[in-house]
Amino acid sequence: MFRKNLTLKLFITLIAATLLVGCNKSRDYKNSSRATGWKMNAKEGGFQYNPQSREQETGPGLVFVEGGTFTMGRVQDDPMHDWNNSPNQQHVQSFYMDETEVTNLMYLEYLDWLKQVFPPTDESYRKIYEGAVPDTLVWRNRLGFNEVMTNNYLRHPAYAEYPVVGVSWIQAVEFSNWRTDRVNEMVLANEGITARNAPYEVEPGETFNTATYLNAPTLTYGGNDSITRGGKKSESIAKRSKDSTNLYIQRKDGLLMPAYRLPTEAEWEYAALGLVGLRNYNAYRGKKKYPWEGQYTRSGKRRSRGDQLANFKQGDGDYGGIAGWSDDGADITAQVKSYEPNDFGLYDMAGNVAEWVADVYRPIVDDEFNDFNYYRGNVYTKNAIGEDGKVKVVTKDSIVFDTLSNGKIVARNLPGGILQVPVDENETYLRTNFSQSDNRDYRDGDKRSSRYYQSFADEEGEGADNTNRMYNSPIQKVYVDSSGTLDRQYDKSSNRTTLIDNEVRVYKGGSWRDRDYWLDPAQRRYFPQDMATDYIGFRCAMSRVGSKSKKGKRPRN
């Protein structure tokens, strides 16, 4: 009898478990919470969530770069003896990158927008536009006649699809920020969230900013609720959602794109190598010399045999080769897409112009500390909060201008954006992953990494000439007096030993001025972030959110 009862209990338990498993398998949790079982997106209330979250769309101008592991740096000979690109294995996440360099036409669109929204005729805005204009004088040479480029390269339509040059790293970052806001503004307009003609109907200085819309949507477009036509308010600028929540679009809705930005050095080098098209062990281990397959700069294909694969300086006094068969098609820069793309679909990742990347330059890549999404240059900030508990949005009267070491004045923030301040102990207390806002010197330039290991001199004060700084670079000081006159104080010290500091940035890739040695994606150089040249341009990148691959989830066995 006992055995029969035990068998019956086991049978009932098995049936119940089977039913429970079957019930769980049939539940898709599309309309109910996996955590609590409560219904979501109900008209009566509850948590509102978009179950139809879509795959991240590819932003304008971008191509998808699937992340992976690669050997960053060179494993081949180093005739320059720089020893600043020792090979190390890194992994980068998937991301997006511009298929071409930013062109003159793209940059002129930015300048035109600045001129309309922040008219230079208004003294409060004048330096915003002036600080964004590329330096066309970079084309001048004391013993060369280059005035045709000085006068025409940026604005003449013949050069519209050529890469923009004369742009500093700071200007490239500001262009990326502007591009983020304009693309997200277009996304909201296309979805009917904001009025399509809002950018043209508001007053000067009233503009859309992505961070402001997410954190304080009522302050978007200067806080205006609607467009005024003929003295009457008509169309709403920032419409609310059509569901019961009546809320503005939020990040969880999946509509807004991540920020456009400069690629990190690791991302740029990985994308330039284009390893996705190869199944070659030597290429994976760092033996790939160029963005294309092979060890030569001329094509070996039957139809194009002998043609140059990039735009670079071929020898002393030889910027394009002999006219005709041997010519590479350009003596200065070339129109974008003049050469074949690499296996990621990226054009001119070698030659044409070198390109700014996000990183602060140091002679080594510290792979012992980090080998995932490596980047040196983190300066963590947070939104400034006013006494009323709301974020501080920059206004016409609160624009902060920076005077750069070369005397040029640029706007640190634009009206409509949120004022940023360094993170403090509220964010760093008892943390193990970071302890301060500025991490550019971490493990290479800070006190602990210096052989002196003592308190550094105050670089702004009496001890500014102290040589105990790890990187004893010149300290240039430029001030603007009340009349607007620049007071330039050049560093005349004879004790300076390097140009490396936190204000110099890495640039990658060869240019039309460089020999083929610099076409190797592993090569790295640096330049002051507030200066520009006629051979450095840039392209933008965007982080990938969600799955690593565009193919989505891997199927279960």
Side-chain angles (χ1 to χ4, degrees), residues 104 107-108 111 129-130 132-141 146-156 159 164-168 171 408 513 531-535:
N104 285 318
Y107 203 88
L108 285 175
L111 294 179
Y129 178 81
E130 292 178 355
V133 175
D135 183 5
T136 59
L137 299 184
V138 294
W139 288 105
R140 284 183 171 168
N141 186 304
N146 298 331
E147 289 304 290
V148 64
M149 279 84 78
T150 300
N151 297 326
N152 295 283
Y153 184 81
L154 174 63
R155 299 184 185 275
H156 197 284
Y159 291 115
V164 67
V165 296
V167 175
S168 69
Q171 290 173 316
K408 195 163 188 174
R513 280 193 177 274
M531 297 178 65
T533 74
D534 61 354
Y535 59 86

Side-chain angles (χ1 to χ4, degrees), residues 65-181:
V65 178
E66 183 174 347
T69 186
F70 77 111
T71 300
M72 184 176 179
R74 286 174 60 90
V75 296
Q76 303 183 54
D77 58 337
D78 189 3
M80 299 295 289
H81 300 291
D82 286 338
W83 304 113
N84 66 350
N85 55 354
S86 299
N88 63 92
Q89 189 159 302
Q90 293 285 335
H91 189 101
V92 296
Q93 283 184 293
S94 298
F95 61 101
Y96 297 84
M97 183 177 259
D98 271 333
E99 62 174 347
T100 71
E101 297 115 343
V102 171
T103 63
N104 285 318
L105 184 61
M106 294 167 67
Y107 203 88
L108 285 175
E109 181 184 357
Y110 168 50
L111 294 179
D112 183 70
W113 183 90
L114 287 177
K115 184 179 290 186
Q116 292 187 40
V117 177
F118 306 110
T121 52
D122 188 327
E123 187 61 29
S124 300
Y125 298 141
R126 180 173 59 84
K127 294 189 182 300
I128 293 178
Y129 178 81
E130 292 178 355
V133 175
D135 183 5
T136 59
L137 299 184
V138 294
W139 288 105
R140 284 183 171 168
N141 186 304
R142 285 181 289 263
L143 295 179
F145 181 70
N146 298 331
E147 289 304 290
V148 64
M149 279 84 78
T150 300
N151 297 326
N152 295 283
Y153 184 81
L154 174 63
R155 299 184 185 275
H156 197 284
Y159 291 115
E161 296 300 330
Y162 284 59
V164 67
V165 296
V167 175
S168 69
W169 182 91
I170 292 176
Q171 290 173 316
V173 169
E174 290 304 315
F175 173 89
S176 303
N177 295 337
W178 165 83
R179 190 175 176 185
T180 300
D181 294 335

Side-chain angles (χ1 to χ4, degrees), residues 275-292:
L275 301 178
V276 68
L278 297 179
R279 295 296 181 265
N280 185 302
Y281 179 75
N282 285 333
Y284 163 71
R285 296 301 299 171
K287 294 291 183 67
K288 192 177 182 188
K289 185 176 178 64
Y290 299 115
W292 52 85

Side-chain angles (χ1 to χ4, degrees), residues 380 423-425 428-429 431-439 442:
Y380 300 120
V423 297
D424 53 27
E425 61 180 5
T428 62
Y429 182 66
R431 284 193 180 273
T432 58
N433 53 333
F434 71 98
S435 59
Q436 60 186 23
S437 172
D438 190 343
N439 297 275
Y442 184 66

Side-chain angles (χ1 to χ4, degrees), residues 155-452:
R155 299 184 185 275
H156 197 284
Y159 291 115
E161 296 300 330
Y162 284 59
V164 67
V165 296
V167 175
S168 69
W169 182 91
I170 292 176
Q171 290 173 316
V173 169
E174 290 304 315
F175 173 89
S176 303
N177 295 337
W178 165 83
R179 190 175 176 185
T180 300
D181 294 335
R182 301 291 72 72
V183 169
N184 280 329
E185 186 178 31
M186 178 195 68
V187 169
L188 294 180
N190 290 342
E191 293 290 332
I193 306 301
T194 60
R196 180 169 292 275
N197 57 341
Y200 313 104
E201 298 289 345
V202 294
E203 295 297 321
E206 298 175 351
T207 182
F208 176 88
N209 179 273
T210 302
T212 301
Y213 182 84
L214 288 171
N215 290 275
T218 58
L219 299 180
T220 305
Y221 293 116
N224 287 326
D225 292 331
S226 59
I227 297 173
T228 302
R229 289 196 184 98
K232 296 182 179 180
K233 290 186 177 182
S234 56
E235 191 174 4
S236 174
I237 292 182
K239 298 178 182 177
R240 297 171 184 253
S241 60
K242 298 178 181 179
D243 58 30
S244 62
T245 60
N246 198 32
L247 296 175
Y248 293 96
I249 293 299
Q250 301 173 45
R251 201 180 298 276
K252 67 182 178 66
D253 294 301
L255 281 178
L256 298 178
M257 291 188 179
Y260 282 82
R261 55 178 174 79
L262 291 182
T264 66
E265 181 179 4
E267 287 175 336
W268 193 99
E269 188 170 330
Y270 174 81
L273 287 170
L275 301 178
V276 68
L278 297 179
R279 295 296 181 265
N280 185 302
Y281 179 75
N282 285 333
Y284 163 71
R285 296 301 299 171
K287 294 291 183 67
K288 192 177 182 188
K289 185 176 178 64
Y290 299 115
W292 52 85
E293 191 172 3
Q295 299 293 309
Y296 304 99
T297 62
R298 291 185 183 272
S299 173
K301 297 179 181 179
R302 183 175 180 180
R303 290 188 175 182
S304 58
R305 183 168 296 162
D307 290 352
Q308 291 288 3
L309 297 173
N311 174 24
F312 64 98
K313 182 178 179 179
Q314 300 177 33
D316 291 341
D318 185 356
Y319 288 85
I322 301 172
W325 172 81
S326 182
D327 192 12
D328 67 7
D331 41 22
I332 54 168
T333 57
Q335 183 172 325
V336 297
K337 296 189 177 183
S338 294
Y339 304 90
E340 292 295 317
N342 71 358
D343 288 329
F344 278 126
L346 301 169
Y347 293 85
D348 296 317
M349 295 301 284
N352 213 18
V353 292
E355 299 177 16
W356 290 114
V357 295
D359 294 56
V360 169
Y361 178 81
R362 287 295 185 270
I364 64 170
V365 172
D366 189 1
D367 62 313
E368 292 183 359
F369 183 78
N370 184 37
D371 57 3
F372 180 75
N373 285 348
Y374 187 87
Y375 167 63
R376 178 178 290 277
N378 281 313
V379 180
Y380 300 120
T381 61
K382 61 180 180 179
N383 296 336
I385 306 297
E387 295 180 357
D388 57 358
K390 299 179 180 179
V391 294
K392 291 184 178 179
V393 176
V394 179
T395 64
K396 180 178 181 179
D397 299 325
S398 61
I399 305 174
V400 178
F401 292 96
D402 282 340
T403 304
L404 307 180
S405 63
N406 58 6
K408 195 163 188 174
I409 299 175
V410 298
R412 185 190 304 172
N413 47 38
L414 295 179
I418 297 178
L419 182 66
Q420 296 295 299
V421 295
V423 297
D424 53 27
E425 61 180 5
N426 291 325
E427 288 77 29
T428 62
Y429 182 66
L430 290 183
R431 284 193 180 273
T432 58
N433 53 333
F434 71 98
S435 59
Q436 60 186 23
S437 172
D438 190 343
N439 297 275
R440 292 175 295 179
D441 275 331
Y442 184 66
R443 289 171 60 95
D444 195 348
D446 57 9
K447 184 171 66 173
R448 291 181 179 273
S449 60
S450 170
R451 65 188 179 94
Y452 295 102

